[in-house]
Amino acid sequence: MQDLKGITFDEYVILRQKDFPSAQGDLSKLLRDIALASKVINREVNKAGLVDILGMTGVRNVQGEEVQKLDEYANEQMIKYLKAGGQCCAMGSEEEEDFIIVTDEHAQEAHYVVLFDPLDGSSNIDVNASIGTIFSIYKRVSTGIPTIHDILQAGKHQVAAGYVIYGSSTMMVYTTGNGVNGFTLDPTIGEFCLSHPNIQTAANGKIYSINEGETNNWPQYVRDYVSYCKENVKDENRPYSHRYIGSMVADLHRNLIKGGIFIYPPTTKAPKGKLRLLYECNPMAFLVEQAGGKATDGLNRIMDIEPTELHQRVPVYIGSKNMVEKLEAFKAAE
Ligand code: P6P
């Protein structure tokens, strides 16, 4: 691919659309709608300490988690711009108990549904650690009024997925199934510009990410694998480094670029794992697989799991292929 570094996200999406003669441009428009919503969210995230948008709303979401004001704001913006863009007929949000049917008449003819976590890692908002928006796009399967079946699709049916990380810079990383590309927001022009073309994740990494505070609540095979990560075996680059921010987007983005494995196993508190299949695990699995990595629940490929409920949680082992397979080997040997 010619050197497209610096091309804007909008130009890139339109350019790649030409690779698909049958494309009508709807997906391109939808991706641009998501990018626009993320720029508005970014504006508030970047000044959160200066305006009354930090802290809690005093409300708990469907997950039972306290909703931060910025969570609520990000959720509202995603819903607003997706509705306004007219390219999706229904959407699911980690912050919404049920899925949302877009009642606008034009939207009923839209081909896509969007699932999103509007602001992942929100416990980090008030301490200025990186957070992010995660999204996943599917073609609708119903005709007429959208149904839950449009939303409860296996991750392998995603047509696009990505995240926006609000960190030292703001980046959009996405895939439509033809590789992974990263775009950095240039605030001087308000555009995401291609900065990380064709991201590939190393088969072997030196970073493992897991909440070590839960060590006593992990299954034995996870404890065995983490002990393996800590062993002194110089020619195998062990001990690995432990890096854990507590924000999936930030931990996954670092591991995608540098190589590594992210683990959220079953724990006694979260026997099915904590992370949500639809809003976190499927989009991240699509990206990581497209970058050459792997994503499983310990037994099954994440993207093969048939969802049964909107807020379903799964264990997730995701990242550098050989590291994920090593953990799977520990599980198989248990
Ligand atoms: P724990 C944030 O709340 C989140 O959903 C992910 O972004 C993050 O990876 C995980 O939970 C952190 O969970 O239990 O380690 O604090």
Side-chain angles (χ1 to χ4, degrees):
M1 181 167 67
Q2 77 233 57
D3 183 7
L4 295 172
K5 268 199 169 183
I7 187 175
T8 69
F9 177 74
D10 287 13
E11 290 165 327
Y12 181 85
V13 166
I14 291 167
L15 184 69
R16 295 308 301 269
Q17 178 187 314
K18 290 175 184 157
D19 297 346
F20 304 93
S22 61
Q24 304 296 313
D26 297 356
L27 180 59
S28 301
K29 175 79 177 57
L30 180 52
L31 286 164
R32 298 202 313 269
D33 293 339
I34 292 170
L36 180 56
S38 73
K39 290 181 201 173
V40 173
I41 295 166
N42 177 65
R43 184 183 60 197
E44 294 309 303
V45 167
N46 280 348
K47 62 183 183 183
L50 300 173
V51 296
D52 180 25
I53 200 162
L54 286 177
M56 303 294 177
T57 59
V59 174
R60 285 188 179 273
N61 65 13
V62 63
Q63 323 289 344
E65 296 161 342
E66 285 197 285
V67 178
Q68 303 250 10
K69 291 176 184 173
L70 214 44
D71 269 328
E72 197 169 65
Y73 178 82
N75 190 48
E76 288 163 1
Q77 299 312 308
M78 285 294 287
I79 294 169
K80 172 185 167 186
Y81 283 94
L82 286 171
K83 282 184 175 175
Q87 300 304 325
C88 83
C89 63
M91 58 186 97
S93 166
E94 192 207 55
E95 294 294 333
E96 299 287 333
E97 185 154 2
D98 202 353
F99 72 100
I100 296 168
I101 295 174
V102 184
T103 50
D104 175 296
E105 58 180 305
H106 300 299
Q108 290 308 304
E109 294 144 26
H111 305 299
Y112 298 104
V113 299
V114 181
L115 306 182
F116 56 87
D117 181 354
L119 206 59
D120 178 72
S122 50
S123 57
N124 285 301
I125 290 174
D126 293 5
V127 295
N128 210 18
S130 299
I131 50 184
T133 298
I134 310 172
F135 64 89
S136 184
I137 302 174
Y138 296 82
K139 276 231 175 204
R140 67 176 300 178
V141 295
S142 68
T143 54
I145 296 175
T147 72
I148 188 70
H149 301 298
D150 292 308
I151 306 290
L152 294 182
Q153 298 189 51
K156 61 191 170 190
H157 299 307
Q158 291 174 96
V159 295
Y163 59 80
V164 179
I165 180 168
Y166 310 105
S168 49
S169 66
T170 297
M171 272 189 74
M172 154 88 76
V173 178
Y174 88 108
T175 184
T176 55
N178 298 284
V180 179
N181 290 286
F183 298 75
T184 300
L185 184 64
D186 178 343
T188 64
I189 58 172
E191 294 283 2
F192 284 107
C193 299
L194 183 63
S195 53
H196 297 68
N198 191 28
I199 296 173
Q200 289 293 298
T201 198
N204 293 295
K206 284 190 59 183
I207 294 170
Y208 72 99
S209 305
I210 188 169
N211 183 343
E212 291 247 9
E214 291 287 333
T215 298
N216 296 330
N217 303 320
W218 298 334
Q220 186 58 47
Y221 71 89
V222 174
R223 277 184 251 174
D224 293 343
Y225 175 73
V226 170
S227 299
Y228 165 86
C229 293
K230 294 175 177 177
E231 288 171 351
N232 281 310
V233 183
K234 196 168 178 53
D235 62 356
E236 291 183 7
N237 284 322
R238 288 185 281 144
Y240 298 150
S241 297
H242 178 246
R243 295 287 183 273
Y244 192 73
I245 299 172
S247 171
M248 186 187 200
V249 172
D251 282 315
L252 261 289
H253 181 70
R254 179 202 52 243
N255 292 2
L256 189 71
I257 303 293
K258 290 178 173 270
I261 184 172
F262 175 91
I263 304 166
Y264 208 107
T267 66
T268 41
K269 267 191 302 186
K272 292 183 179 176
K274 174 183 181 183
L275 300 181
R276 271 63 56 156
L277 174 61
L278 296 183
Y279 308 108
E280 293 162 317
C281 298
N282 270 333
M284 287 308 196
F286 191 15
L287 282 164
V288 166
E289 285 198 7
Q290 281 290 312
K294 191 166 185 181
T296 83
D297 67 356
L299 278 177
N300 312 289
R301 179 184 180 231
I302 288 288
M303 293 209 290
D304 286 342
I305 298 172
E306 289 296 337
T308 53
E309 53 187 80
L310 273 177
H311 298 284
Q312 180 172 345
R313 298 170 191 263
V314 292
V316 61
Y317 311 108
I318 182 171
S320 293
K321 186 170 181 296
N322 295 348
M323 298 177 85
V324 172
E325 290 180 349
K326 187 66 178 176
L327 179 47
E328 287 179 306
F330 273 90
K331 178 169 175 43
E334 70 173 341

